[in-house]
Amino acid sequence: MAKDIQVYVHNEDEAEDLKTILAKYKTQDVKVDKLESEGSTTLVIPVPPTGSGGTGTGAMATANSNNRIGAFFETRETEDEERKTVLTFKVDETDYAAVLEDIRNAGGLVDKALFE
């Protein structure tokens, strides 16, 4: 089963770099788009599922609903660090944890709703 993911980055170059990193996974429908408005999205730093129950510490929270297992860290970005580009794709469930790790390592953020 494929999972939909949207990754928010600062610019198109960052999106293309991340797209290159993700090419090693079973991804589909990969698109890079500019954001027209910020909307009401709450962006967080993804943490891949580890298989252990895990507990949240500090600003970290864990989630396990609708087969979307994982955790996230809250982020405090300033307006200077505004995310104006989104990389949207579907990833095979078997690659989900590895993809979240690569997103985190590349500095990408995801919508908090991914974990709800």
Side-chain angles (χ1 to χ4, degrees), residues 2-18:
K3 293 185 178 265
D4 293 309
I5 298 180
Q6 290 183 322
V7 183
Y8 296 83
V9 295
H10 295 105
N11 54 50
E12 193 171 337
D13 288 340
E14 284 185 13
E16 290 297 334
D17 289 346
L18 185 53

Side-chain angles (χ1 to χ4, degrees), residues 16-28:
E16 290 297 334
D17 289 346
L18 185 53
K19 188 176 169 181
T20 300
I21 292 168
L22 298 176
K24 62 187 171 189
Y25 301 109
K26 298 174 191 167
T27 57
Q28 309 169 31

